[in-house]
Amino acid sequence: MNNLKIGLACNLGASTSILVGKMNSIVKNSEKLANNNICIESFAASNIDESIRQYDLILLAPQIAHRKDEIAEKAGEYGVTVEQIDAQNFGTMNAAAILKEALYTIHSKKQ
């Protein structure tokens, strides 16, 4: 699970930046994950075209989940998976659950 890049997209990148901070903290403080090169970043949906190819996985905040098909089609050209973040986990900023789902998605893709 080395060298993973996960991008979280929302309207402006603000709400996901809070979540990214929590997710990065979990990675840093986890014995199992800290030795892996896991990069988690947030970005605004308006920058999605420039950002797509940088990531292994793009997670969409609930407010832009309606664009999943459109974004997934573009991302598919680069082999990038696109998923939407569970609204309840996003609303409660449950970074652990979102990170667990993200890592599961990436692991499943590689098998």
Side-chain angles (χ1 to χ4, degrees), residues 52 60 67-77 80-82:
I52 284 177
L60 305 178
R67 294 185 56 198
K68 181 180 178 190
D69 290 342
E70 165 206 343
I71 295 167
E73 184 176 331
K74 292 176 184 178
E77 296 174 24
V80 177
T81 302
V82 176

Side-chain angles (χ1 to χ4, degrees), residues 3 7 57 70 76 88 92 103:
N3 297 321
L57 174 66
E70 165 206 343
Q88 184 173 356
T92 59
L103 295 175

Side-chain angles (χ1 to χ4, degrees), residues 21-110:
K22 291 180 176 203
M23 292 171 75
N24 280 323
S25 179
I26 291 169
V27 169
K28 180 181 174 186
N29 294 313
S30 167
E31 286 182 31
K32 190 173 185 179
L33 299 175
N35 294 329
N36 292 285
N37 187 16
I38 300 173
C39 177
I40 306 169
E41 302 171 332
S42 65
F43 60 93
S46 60
N47 297 332
I48 204 128
D49 289 336
E50 298 85 33
S51 301
I52 284 177
R53 65 188 80 174
Q54 298 177 34
Y55 300 103
D56 298 298
L57 174 66
I58 294 176
L59 298 175
L60 305 178
Q63 65 265 37
I64 64 165
H66 65 280
R67 294 185 56 198
K68 181 180 178 190
D69 290 342
E70 165 206 343
I71 295 167
E73 184 176 331
K74 292 176 184 178
E77 296 174 24
Y78 304 102
V80 177
T81 302
V82 176
E83 294 293 338
Q84 69 184 68
I85 299 171
D86 177 78
Q88 184 173 356
N89 285 335
F90 187 82
T92 59
M93 291 285 152
N94 188 343
I98 295 167
L99 180 59
K100 182 178 178 180
E101 185 64 31
L103 295 175
Y104 176 79
T105 299
I106 292 169
H107 179 73
S108 296
K109 178 183 171 188
K110 290 185 176 184

